[in-house]
Amino acid sequence: MNSCENSILNKLKQQLIALKEAFWSNIDFSSFKDFQELQRPKVLDKLLHLLEVRLEWINGVLQIENEVSQGLKCNCGWPRPGSHLFSWKYSDLLLSILSTTKDMDNDFKERCFSQGFWSGYLLLLKKLKLKDIHRKIIIQLGDISLLDDDNQLGYLPSNLEEWKEFLTLYAQSSVSTEMVTCFTCNKQHSICTEFSHTTNDTKPWNVSLQWETICRVALLHLDSIKVLEILKTLEIPNGAFSSEFYRSLMRSFLLNKQQSALIHRTLSTVGSYLWSRKLKSLSPEARLVFQKEKEKPGASATQLQKNEDSAKAGCSYLEEPESHWGVKISLKSVCRVCKMPLTSHLSPSQGGITVYRCGHSYHTACSKEGFCLTCLHSQDDDG
């Protein structure tokens, strides 16, 4: 290929680039906003069903803010604090496309990173479950609202180890309370942004991801004991916590300590009781009286059982499945089957009385089923 042909090809490329830029600058994307939010992804998916077209569409939209995008990045290309809040044109449409795309997520992610479209970059990081880079970007952006798993762009540590990692990374970034250090080039950025995020808002935005705000979120998912254990291992600058928050944290720590000690004592008492060897020939109530009499030989059973409920004496307990039980009945009552007095002898071979846990009594000869017929019939009537 000679120089003349190369010159012609270069001119054609320049003309194609100019046509593409003119197309993307003049196309009216606002028509997509007329669709309802639920219908918008379906319409966009039909219009941009080809991945190449979808990628070109995203490139064209991002090129609209090309001049501004460089101001959203650090010198190394990483985000500046608060740069994700910049109001991109057609950002809702971009996020809709990125959230529904199943392929080429890595290509879209790199494109969003290079253009500084941090909302789309965060969305794809969460979609691809890249937790390591996700938490670094959130710390770099400095927005506490992103520390939320319900947020479409957010991330929330799911266990104690991830909380340790997040707070350790934040300690590296927040050398002082007035600056945020870039993870890549160590350049320090002010916690107050220097660019406006919306056309109507001229007030500067301050970094909201601070030691205190992070710990408040952590306390919603971890107890204060674990949070303080993590904080003890980190170098926290002076003035990172307000006096009010520090007092409430210490108060919560003491309460959790007391609760933990109480739970431990309770479980130890219950555990030692359940695993101890007990006399199965005595009911729990009788065994308690017997133990009290051994401790206080001079005390009578009446004094030891002032608050005893006779109706509950001898009950069957879940933790005492093999112990004796009993219910209070009257021998002057009649059998539920034959209606004869319980004291009458119906059969010389099968004498005696059968009493069930419910308190219903029968002649042994009248109750061969092994269960209470009265309770069975009452259940049938209720059903």
Side-chain angles (χ1 to χ4, degrees), residues 151-167:
N151 190 325
Q152 185 184 18
L153 316 177
Y155 159 80
L156 183 69
S158 58
N159 52 52
L160 182 61
E161 293 301 322
E162 289 190 7
W163 274 109
K164 288 181 180 178
E165 180 67 22
F166 186 86
L167 288 169

Side-chain angles (χ1 to χ4, degrees), residues 273 279-290 305 312-317 320 322-326:
Y273 175 78
L279 292 173
K280 297 180 181 180
S281 58
L282 295 177
S283 65
E285 293 84 1
R287 190 165 59 246
L288 177 62
V289 173
F290 179 69
Q305 293 180 307
K312 295 182 179 180
C315 291
S316 178
Y317 299 95
E320 299 280 355
E322 298 180 357
S323 65
H324 278 244
W325 59 273

Side-chain angles (χ1 to χ4, degrees), residues 91-106:
S91 60
D92 293 339
L93 298 178
L94 283 168
L95 293 177
S96 296
I97 293 175
L98 294 176
S99 61
T100 56
T101 301
K102 297 181 180 179
D103 299 316
M104 296 183 69
D105 282 338
N106 287 317

Side-chain angles (χ1 to χ4, degrees), residues 338-365:
C338 66
K339 306 302 180 182
M340 297 290 291
L342 291 175
T343 54
S344 60
H345 296 280
L346 301 182
S347 172
S349 60
Q350 292 184 345
I353 301 172
T354 299
V355 182
Y356 292 100
R357 295 177 184 268
C358 56
H360 297 142
S361 306
Y362 304 86
H363 291 119
T364 302

Side-chain angles (χ1 to χ4, degrees), residues 163-380:
W163 274 109
K164 288 181 180 178
E165 180 67 22
F166 186 86
L167 288 169
T168 302
L169 288 172
Y170 182 75
Q172 298 174 6
S173 174
S174 62
V175 178
S176 66
T177 56
E178 300 296 330
M179 305 296 290
V180 177
T181 305
C182 179
F183 283 108
T184 305
C185 64
N186 294 326
K187 181 180 179 180
Q188 292 192 348
H189 298 277
S190 173
I191 62 173
C192 181
T193 58
E194 302 171 0
F195 55 89
S196 60
H197 305 285
T198 62
T199 56
N200 298 326
D201 188 11
T202 57
K203 296 181 180 180
W205 179 83
N206 291 318
V207 169
S208 58
L209 193 73
Q210 303 283 354
W211 281 105
E212 183 170 329
T213 55
I214 296 174
C215 289
R216 288 185 184 276
V217 177
L219 288 170
L220 297 176
H221 305 277
L222 301 174
D223 60 59
S224 56
I225 298 176
K226 294 179 180 178
V227 173
L228 282 175
E229 287 178 353
I230 299 175
L231 294 178
K232 287 179 182 178
T233 62
L234 304 174
E235 294 184 5
I236 303 175
N238 295 329
F241 299 111
S242 63
S243 57
E244 180 182 356
F245 176 77
Y246 183 78
R247 285 194 299 269
S248 63
L249 181 61
M250 290 297 103
R251 192 182 305 114
S252 176
F253 172 77
L254 294 176
L255 288 175
N256 284 333
K257 277 288 189 182
Q258 293 175 359
Q259 290 176 355
S260 299
L262 178 61
I263 292 173
H264 178 72
R265 289 196 301 269
T266 303
L267 292 178
S268 298
T269 303
V270 174
S272 61
Y273 175 78
L274 293 177
W275 289 99
S276 62
R277 299 180 62 182
K278 298 176 283 291
L279 292 173
K280 297 180 181 180
S281 58
L282 295 177
S283 65
E285 293 84 1
R287 190 165 59 246
L288 177 62
V289 173
F290 179 69
Q291 182 179 354
K292 294 291 185 180
E293 288 179 348
K294 288 178 63 178
E295 295 175 356
K296 297 180 179 180
S300 62
T302 305
Q303 293 175 340
L304 295 172
Q305 293 180 307
K306 292 181 180 179
N307 299 324
E308 179 186 6
D309 187 357
S310 59
K312 295 182 179 180
C315 291
S316 178
Y317 299 95
L318 181 63
E319 65 272 15
E320 299 280 355
E322 298 180 357
S323 65
H324 278 244
W325 59 273
V327 291
K328 186 178 181 180
I329 64 169
S330 175
L331 292 177
K332 295 181 180 180
S333 59
V334 297
C335 176
R336 297 273 178 166
V337 176
C338 66
K339 306 302 180 182
M340 297 290 291
L342 291 175
T343 54
S344 60
H345 296 280
L346 301 182
S347 172
S349 60
Q350 292 184 345
I353 301 172
T354 299
V355 182
Y356 292 100
R357 295 177 184 268
C358 56
H360 297 142
S361 306
Y362 304 86
H363 291 119
T364 302
C366 298
S367 180
K368 299 180 180 180
E369 295 81 7
F371 54 85
C372 180
L373 294 174
T374 304
C375 293
L376 178 64
H377 294 324
S378 64
Q379 291 177 1
D380 293 339

